[in-house]
């Protein structure tokens, strides 16, 4: 689903995922979602739509609540209305299955480590708060109407397609620029923050597995390992034979009003019930992203 006219992301999407049919709709517009579900008659709906960059959520807190939080309610309502659930029908076999992209940012100031499906939430940004609403409304539609609606609580998942503002891609692009002589320094925020970083391709596989289960349940998806931003930076520079200390400059512009210090998944339920395991490790992921950006920048800087 795409929104707006002449959306510049559409060309990029086609390049990456080839021959897909796009339909229009906007998470801010209930009617457009009902029309989209009516038109497409989907078997499965994956709601990955969100304002997803945490610092932006302080600058546009209300819009984040509308898109990232209320957008989930609107998508669930569209499915409920089109399939007649809660009016004349209860959902049966062949009902539309719904996946909500919940987030480890809901754990925020963590109450226990590692975090599992029963760990209480304590979000630390308007983004985390909005995702928490989306999580609970998905659970509520499952319980209220018997809909097949599940949340995947995904920890940070990265790939060469990650937006340049997120820390992994910022670092892989920065390292590639410095290696190619296009820049000399990389300005960073909090180097002590720790995350459980995995490969997005592995996580997308987990999403599909969740919707293929007999029963709708929520799952935590992560690797169970944690690295600091410092580890990330050190490794990324080392892959091209550079020392991060020669190039990284700390800049308070990139620190946040409230920080999530540590995230680490306990993916036991996913492993045991879905049979899911991540295939790409942290080192391989970082190398993949740095190599991809080296190729990207050396082809675009050639005359
Ligand atoms: P998030 O976990 O969804 O907020 O994903 P990000 O990739 O944006 O940030 C991950 C962590 O890296 C956070 O704890 C940030 O504070 C930290 N970090 C440190 N320096 C930077 C930076 O320059 N940019 C970003 N995006 N994050 C940074």
């Amino acid at each position: 689903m795409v929104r707006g006219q002449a959306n510049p992301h559409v060309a990029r999407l086609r390049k990456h995922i080839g021959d897909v049919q796009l339909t229009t709709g906007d998470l801010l517009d209930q009617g457009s979602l009902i029309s989209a579900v009516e038109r497409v008659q989907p078997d499965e709906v994956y709601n990955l739509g969100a304002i997803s960059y945490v610092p932006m959520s302080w600058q546009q807190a209300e819009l984040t609540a509308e898109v990232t939080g209320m957008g989930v309610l609107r998508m669930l309502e569209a499915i409920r209305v089109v399939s007649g659930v809660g009016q004349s029908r209860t959902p049966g076999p062949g009902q539309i299955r719904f996946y909500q992209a919940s987030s480890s940012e809901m754990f925020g100031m963590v109450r226990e480590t590692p975090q599992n499906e029963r760990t209480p939430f304590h979000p630390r940004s308007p983004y985390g708060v909005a995702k928490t609403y989306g999580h609970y409304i998905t659970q509520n539609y499952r319980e209220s109407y018997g809909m097949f609606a599940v949340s995947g609580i995904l920890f940070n998942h990265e790939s060469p397609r990650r937006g340049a503002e997120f820390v992994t891609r910022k670092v892989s692009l920065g390292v590639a620029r410095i290696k190619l002589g296009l820049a000399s320094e990389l300005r960073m925020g909090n180097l002590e923050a720790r995350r459980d970083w995995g490969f997005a391709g592995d996580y997308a596989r987990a999403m599909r597995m969740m919707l293929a289960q007999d029963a709708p349940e929520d799952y935590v998806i992560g690797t169970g390992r944690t690295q600091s931003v410092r580890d990330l930076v050190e490794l990324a520079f080392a892959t091209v034979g550079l020392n991060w200390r020669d190039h990284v400059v700390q800049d308070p512009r990139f620190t946040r009003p409230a920080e999530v210090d540590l995230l680490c998944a306990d993916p036991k339920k996913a492993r045991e019930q879905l049979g899911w395991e991540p295939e790409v490790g942290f080192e391989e992921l970082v190398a993949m992203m740095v190599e991809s950006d080296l190729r990207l920048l050396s082809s675009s800087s050639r005359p």
Side-chain angles (χ1 to χ4, degrees):
M1 196 176 79
V2 293
R3 75 194 149 93
Q5 288 176 306
N7 183 331
H9 296 304
V10 172
R12 198 178 54 154
L13 196 67
R14 289 210 182 281
K15 194 172 128 218
H16 282 308
I17 56 179
D19 188 22
V20 288
Q21 284 185 21
L22 302 173
T23 195
T24 50
D26 191 318
L27 288 170
L28 297 175
D29 182 340
Q30 181 71 76
S32 76
L33 301 180
I34 294 173
S35 304
V37 175
E38 260 171 353
R39 242 185 344 263
V40 175
Q41 294 288 323
D43 301 310
E44 300 178 343
V45 172
Y46 293 84
N47 180 38
L48 316 183
I51 291 184
S52 67
Y53 183 46
V54 171
M56 181 61 84
S57 78
W58 277 283
Q59 284 156 22
Q60 300 185 345
E62 185 181 341
L63 186 62
T64 301
E66 282 291 346
V67 176
T68 307
M70 291 288 282
V72 186
L73 172 65
R74 295 190 191 100
M75 202 66 237
L76 284 161
E77 273 293 284
I79 294 169
R80 188 185 70 77
V81 166
V82 171
S83 48
V85 170
Q87 294 142 28
S88 52
R89 268 172 275 160
T90 49
Q95 65 169 305
I96 300 170
R97 296 186 170 210
F98 176 74
Y99 173 88
Q100 167 58 15
S102 281
S103 164
S104 55
E105 290 288 322
M106 300 187 308
F107 295 126
M109 188 185 276
V110 298
R111 306 277 181 86
E112 60 181 359
T113 295
Q115 296 86 47
N116 64 36
E117 292 79 5
R118 293 170 307 283
T119 303
F121 300 138
H122 184 148
R124 291 274 281 168
S125 61
Y127 168 78
V129 174
K131 278 286 179 186
T132 305
Y133 175 80
H135 184 83
Y136 282 131
I137 200 68
T138 301
Q139 178 184 307
N140 181 256
Y141 269 54
R142 178 169 74 221
E143 294 173 359
S144 301
Y145 301 112
M147 289 167 62
F148 195 111
V150 307
S151 291
I153 306 175
L154 270 52
F155 283 60
N156 298 49
H157 41 289
E158 316 294 316
S159 86
R161 297 177 198 167
R162 186 56 136 154
E165 66 275 36
F166 290 87
V167 75
T168 51
R169 187 76 196 286
K170 177 173 171 175
V171 169
S172 66
L173 276 168
V175 166
R177 274 194 201 105
I178 292 169
K179 181 69 183 173
L180 296 171
L182 304 169
S184 60
E185 64 173 33
L186 177 59
R187 305 188 82 84
M188 299 292 302
N190 176 15
L191 298 180
E192 310 312 323
R194 301 186 73 86
R195 289 290 182 279
D196 177 337
W197 280 293
F199 173 54
D202 285 335
Y203 291 45
R205 189 159 44 80
M207 295 177 199
R208 302 206 58 191
M209 286 171 144
M210 284 178 223
L211 290 201
Q213 299 301 298
D214 292 335
E217 287 185 37
D218 301 335
Y219 295 88
V220 157
I221 301 295
T223 70
R225 295 205 178 81
T226 158
Q227 272 88 21
S228 66
V229 174
R230 185 190 304 275
D231 297 332
L232 164 70
V233 163
E234 189 175 341
L235 181 63
F237 276 95
T239 58
V240 296
L242 295 173
N243 185 342
W244 70 278
R245 287 174 192 281
D246 299 334
H247 304 283
V248 170
V249 179
Q250 276 199 273
D251 187 334
R253 272 191 305 143
F254 297 107
T255 57
R256 299 174 179 190
E259 175 67 292
V260 173
D261 296 323
L262 163 79
L263 291 173
C264 183
D266 172 5
K268 182 160 173 269
K269 180 180 176 188
R271 189 167 59 237
E272 290 179 356
Q273 288 192 32
L274 302 176
W276 178 81
E277 292 274 1
E279 285 170 8
V280 178
F282 183 65
E283 294 197 0
E284 198 181 334
L285 174 64
V286 172
M288 177 203 299
M289 292 181 71
V290 171
E291 278 157 26
S292 166
D293 283 329
L294 278 171
R295 275 195 305 276
L296 184 76
L297 294 182
S298 39
S299 61
S300 61
S301 61
R302 261 200 308 267

